């Protein structure tokens, strides 16, 4: 049933303390228990044997779509879904128009929901926008591979949403019963979608599945690999991080199972468009612009990757990406809920610092600072609090370089402690000199605590924004954190692919620079849907096109 008035969600607030706490909890649980119980094995035992899905007999041009990182705010998720679902879409690049058709298949390339996978989040953030987009239109067969965000509940909600053909997805048929699959396409193209759990190895039933598929291929078969993350970028950007070595899984399948090289790799995970190509014309495409916040394209530098792959196309361009970093100065306005955390941290720090200060200690700022530092050394509770704040900031500095983590984390913590001290000092001056309350009285302490709590929120959030700006703009670090903070819903993109009668595979990368912000309820063939009602929104346009010849 289509809901008349769906809940149109805003972009995930990654710095909302509740989202932070719950994400941290799920990541920890899935990393601990995910390694001890592999849902793919249980799924393989419980479900029917799965063969490849055969579309090779389709006549004429065969169109299919690929979108990844999709279920976030309504505006970008629905804008992409609606453009995908239009029966025909004409897109322009440099004045030349290209007519494209909606796909017979829709491949969802990973991270089908944010911030974590629950039944409700899949329904409101992913399925509802797609159901409204396909309302009154022809519906493709939907296939999905899980990304890290789908894995955070050990794939329970993902399996319910995509691996039950009797249920379907958003009114579209689904056929897979496992989290990996093979599709036989026309002209001897094969699409192989791999599930790597959370960066782990391949499981045995998955290897057997692909071995069986390989037996039914002939020597002329051409392979498209869909993988959950762009290891070709990650292994290069973080060379000392063992998890990102692009060796074991896909290379094992290519060389040992299929005995041939893939012509095309597709992935999402990083929320932008980048195409890399080598001298043999093999394409590696990162296309994660299906709905989630934008990632930076200017850092890290991915122009030349290992094994001779060179960057051929990028969206949005580096200049745009660099310019967007400035928005971190608006951090408190973009992430208002983040303030709760700083309100708490700042008032606790000020409370502990002021607890042991006498009236004589606060005659001026330098005296108060030296008294507060003395107190931190002499008072174990005060000292432990400061050490845990610094340790906490180092622990939560998520970067792959240890020196940056320690230096950056400690510097960031000291900035906040200094700010907390200054805010506390300001509150003291305000309450004793302006409000004329007696120092140390209950009224003065409570009023001063309230002032620190109220001011701590925007000041702390602003310092975090400045820290993220400096990290990404000057040092090229914290790409994820410094852009998830911006919650950018624009610069969305996906891929439309066509296999023509000559067996040529053409890839169209299509983008929407600015997604609509306002929508109008409509009916299409009697089914409720929405139409964009925003003159400032941009039409889908072609950003890249590449042909793979037989
Ligand atoms: Fe993602």
């Amino acid at each position: 049933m289509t809901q008349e008035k769906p809940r149109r969600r805003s972009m995930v607030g990654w710095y909302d303390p509740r989202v932070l706490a719950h994400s941290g909890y799920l990541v920890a649980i899935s990393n601990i228990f995910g390694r001890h119980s592999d849902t793919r094995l249980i799924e393989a035992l419980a479900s029917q044997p799965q063969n490849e899905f055969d579309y090779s007999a389709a006549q004429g041009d065969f169109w299919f779509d690929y979108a990844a990182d999709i279920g976030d705010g309504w505006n970008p998720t629905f804008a992409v879904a609606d453009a995908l679902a239009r029966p025909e879409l004409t897109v322009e690049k440099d004045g030349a128009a290209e007519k494209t058709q909606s796909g017979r298949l829709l491949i969802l390339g990973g991270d089908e929901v944010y911030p974590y996978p629950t039944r409700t989040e899949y329904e409101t953030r992913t399925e509802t926008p797609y159901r409204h987009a396909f309302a009154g239109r022809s519906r493709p067969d939907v296939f999905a591979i899980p990304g890290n965000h789908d894995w955070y509940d050990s794939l329970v909600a993902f399996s319910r949403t995509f691996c039950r053909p009797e249920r379907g997805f958003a009114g579209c048929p689904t056929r897979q019963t496992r989290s990996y699959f093979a599709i036989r396409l026309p002209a001897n193209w094969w699409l192989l979608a791999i599930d790597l759990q959370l960066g782990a190895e391949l499981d045995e039933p998955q290897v057997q599945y692909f071995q069986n598929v390989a037996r039914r291929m002939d020597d002329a078969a051409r392979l498209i690999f869909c993988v959950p993350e762009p290891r070709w970028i990650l292994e290069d950007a973080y060379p000392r991080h063992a998890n990102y070595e692009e060796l074991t899984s896909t290379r094992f399948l290519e060389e040992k199972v299929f005995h041939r090289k893939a012509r095309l790799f597709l992935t999402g995970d990083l929320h932008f468009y980048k195409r890399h190509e080598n001298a043999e014309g093999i394409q590696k495409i990162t296309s994660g612009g299906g709905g989630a916040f934008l990632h930076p394209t200017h850092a890290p530098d991915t122009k030349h990757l290992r094994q001779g792959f060179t960057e051929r196309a990028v969206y949005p361009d580096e200049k745009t990406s660099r310019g967007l970093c400035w928005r971190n100065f608006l951090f408190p306005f973009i992430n208002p809920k983040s303030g709760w955390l700083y309100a708490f941290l700042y008032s606790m720090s000020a409370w502990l610092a002021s607890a042991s200060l006498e009236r004589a200690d606060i005659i001026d700022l330098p005296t108060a600072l030296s008294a507060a530092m003395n107190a931190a050394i002499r008072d174990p509770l005060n000292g432990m609090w400061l050490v845990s704040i610094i340790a906490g900031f180092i622990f939560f500095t998520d970067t792959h370089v240890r020196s940056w983590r320690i230096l950056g984390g400690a510097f960031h913590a000291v900035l906040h402690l200094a700010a907390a001290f200054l805010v506390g000092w300001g509150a003291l001056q305000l309450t004793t000199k302006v409000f004329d309350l007696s120092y140390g009285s209950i009224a003065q302490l409570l009023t001063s605590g309230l002032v620190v709590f109220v001011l701590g929120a925007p000041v702390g959030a602003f310092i975090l924004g400045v820290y993220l700006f400096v990290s990404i703009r000057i040092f090229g670090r914290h790409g994820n954190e410094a852009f998830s903070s911006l919650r950018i819903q624009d610069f969305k993109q996906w891929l439309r692919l066509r296999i023509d009668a000559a067996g040529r595979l053409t890839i169209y990368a299509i983008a929407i620079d600015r997604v609509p912000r306002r929508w109008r309820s409509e009916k299409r063939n009697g089914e409720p849907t929405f139409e964009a009602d925003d003159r400032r929104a941009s039409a889908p346009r072609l950003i890249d096109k590449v042909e793979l010849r037989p």
Side-chain angles (χ1 to χ4, degrees):
M1 280 294 289
T2 309
Q3 287 173 290
E4 283 287 335
K5 277 210 173 128
R7 213 173 137 202
R8 287 187 261 153
R9 304 289 296 269
S10 52
M11 296 296 281
V12 171
W14 292 98
Y15 289 83
D16 175 346
R18 276 180 312 177
V19 174
L20 279 177
H22 199 68
S23 304
Y25 166 75
L26 285 175
V27 171
I29 293 284
S30 57
N31 273 311
I32 296 165
F33 294 106
R35 304 206 187 285
H36 296 280
S37 71
D38 191 334
T39 312
R40 295 170 302 186
L41 296 174
I42 301 163
E43 197 181 61
L45 293 173
S47 59
Q48 302 292 321
Q50 176 179 276
N51 283 331
E52 72 268 18
F53 301 98
D54 193 354
Y55 293 84
S56 60
Q59 297 295 311
D61 284 354
F62 186 85
W63 293 87
F64 58 110
D65 289 300
Y66 175 94
D69 303 84
I70 56 169
D72 200 315
W74 171 276
N75 294 340
T77 307
F78 184 73
V80 169
D82 179 59
L84 275 169
R86 280 179 226 168
E88 281 193 348
L89 185 68
T90 302
V91 282
E92 272 190 29
K93 185 173 187 257
D94 307 327
E98 296 267 2
K99 227 180 200 177
T100 72
Q101 285 176 29
S102 65
R104 170 82 182 79
L105 304 177
L106 169 59
I107 313 290
L108 301 176
D111 284 357
E112 270 75 66
V113 75
Y114 295 90
Y116 21 75
T118 64
R119 198 175 158 150
T120 317
E121 294 290 18
Y122 273 114
E123 271 172 15
T124 54
R125 289 194 182 272
T126 313
E127 206 160 1
T128 304
Y130 273 81
R131 181 177 289 117
H132 282 81
F134 283 113
R137 288 169 166 161
S138 71
R139 292 170 164 95
D141 292 353
V142 173
F143 290 87
I145 49 169
N148 55 333
H149 287 269
D150 303 288
W151 258 104
Y152 289 149
D153 72 339
S154 297
L155 229 53
V156 173
F158 175 91
S159 303
R160 174 188 173 273
T161 311
F162 296 105
C163 304
R164 293 202 195 149
E166 73 281 6
R167 179 186 178 276
F169 166 79
C172 304
T174 58
R175 300 180 66 189
Q176 70 193 88
T177 50
R178 299 190 189 175
S179 54
Y180 45 86
F181 53 85
I183 301 177
R184 184 174 190 171
L185 298 165
N188 216 358
W189 283 97
W190 293 68
L191 184 145
L192 309 160
I194 301 161
D195 175 12
L196 294 176
Q197 208 197 27
L198 291 161
E201 299 294 312
L202 290 162
D203 53 303
E204 190 53 32
Q206 186 169 186
V207 173
Q208 283 171 9
Y209 172 74
F210 286 118
Q211 280 168 337
N212 286 333
V213 170
R215 276 186 213 113
R216 289 187 288 274
M217 277 181 190
D218 62 35
D219 288 342
R222 288 167 290 169
L223 310 186
I224 303 167
F225 269 114
C226 290
V227 290
E229 56 183 16
R231 293 203 177 179
W232 51 90
I233 289 179
L234 301 174
E235 68 170 4
D236 204 77
Y238 311 112
R240 274 168 288 180
H241 200 285
N243 252 7
Y244 295 146
E245 278 173 20
E246 195 202 2
L247 181 68
T248 42
S249 36
T250 34
R251 214 162 288 161
F252 169 79
L253 285 176
E254 271 189 287
E255 290 168 11
K256 302 279 189 261
V257 176
F258 293 106
H259 305 291
R260 60 174 60 75
K261 283 216 157 109
R263 302 284 306 277
L264 170 64
F265 289 84
L266 299 178
T267 194
D269 190 50
L270 293 176
H271 310 158
F272 51 54
Y273 177 76
K274 284 193 181 186
R275 178 166 65 83
H276 290 86
E277 185 184 65
N278 73 356
E280 294 169 64
I282 293 171
Q283 307 291 327
K284 293 192 170 179
I285 295 181
T286 309
S287 167
F293 68 89
L294 179 72
H295 271 132
T297 54
H298 70 281
D301 180 8
T302 55
K303 287 188 189 58
H304 300 281
L305 300 180
R306 296 173 184 192
Q307 294 140 38
F309 279 85
T310 311
E311 193 173 281
R312 295 284 182 221
V314 53
Y315 173 85
D317 60 48
E318 293 193 8
K319 187 168 168 251
T320 305
S321 172
R322 268 196 207 95
L324 290 167
C325 299
W326 289 93
R327 292 196 192 175
N328 270 302
F329 285 99
L330 299 175
F331 187 99
F333 302 101
I334 304 174
N335 302 279
K337 287 184 184 163
S338 69
W340 288 105
L341 187 66
Y342 293 106
F344 172 74
L345 284 182
Y346 279 38
S347 28
M348 281 299 288
S349 305
W351 186 18
L352 284 164
S354 64
S356 47
L357 299 189
E358 300 298 331
R359 189 172 245 298
D361 297 328
I362 55 151
I363 45 165
D364 56 31
L365 193 61
T367 317
L369 182 62
S370 100
M373 287 173 88
N374 253 321
I377 294 165
R378 274 187 279 124
D379 175 7
L381 185 64
N382 193 348
M384 286 295 286
W385 170 257
L386 297 183
V387 169
S388 6
I389 287 195
I390 296 173
F393 272 91
I394 292 175
F395 182 76
F396 287 107
T397 299
D398 185 19
T399 167
H400 296 78
V401 180
R402 188 180 286 173
S403 55
W404 177 260
R405 185 175 196 168
I406 295 170
L407 288 174
F411 178 67
H412 186 193
V414 169
L415 269 184
H416 280 295
L417 290 173
F421 178 80
L422 288 174
V423 170
W425 172 258
L428 187 66
Q429 299 302 307
L430 187 74
T431 49
T432 54
K433 296 202 172 137
V434 180
F435 298 162
D436 210 16
L437 298 169
S438 137
Y439 176 75
S441 66
I442 301 276
Q444 187 269 324
L445 289 174
L446 288 179
T447 316
S448 167
L450 186 68
V451 171
V452 176
F453 192 84
V454 171
L455 285 181
V459 171
F462 180 72
I463 289 179
L464 176 57
V466 174
Y467 168 78
L468 291 173
F469 172 79
V470 172
S471 303
I472 184 69
R473 188 62 207 247
I474 299 173
F475 299 99
R477 296 266 155 212
H478 280 310
N480 191 49
E481 293 74 22
F483 267 65
S484 63
S485 60
L486 306 179
R487 305 168 75 189
I488 296 171
Q489 48 187 343
D490 295 317
F491 307 104
K492 292 284 119 355
Q493 57 73 223
W494 78 99
L495 304 177
R496 176 151 280 179
L497 301 97
R498 183 189 64 189
I499 298 170
D500 61 22
R504 220 175 8 216
L505 175 69
T506 309
I507 306 154
Y508 302 86
I510 300 171
I512 305 174
D513 297 327
R514 184 185 161 88
V515 301
R517 309 299 200 255
R518 284 190 305 279
W519 306 89
R520 186 179 63 236
S521 289
E522 288 283 340
K523 290 257 178 194
R524 192 188 302 122
N525 298 329
E527 293 185 58
T529 184
F530 291 89
E531 286 284 341
D533 188 12
D534 185 347
R535 262 186 262 147
R536 293 178 65 202
S538 24
R541 67 183 180 96
L542 187 65
I543 50 168
D544 190 28
K545 180 183 165 187
V546 60
E547 270 181 18
L548 304 187
R549 289 167 189 282

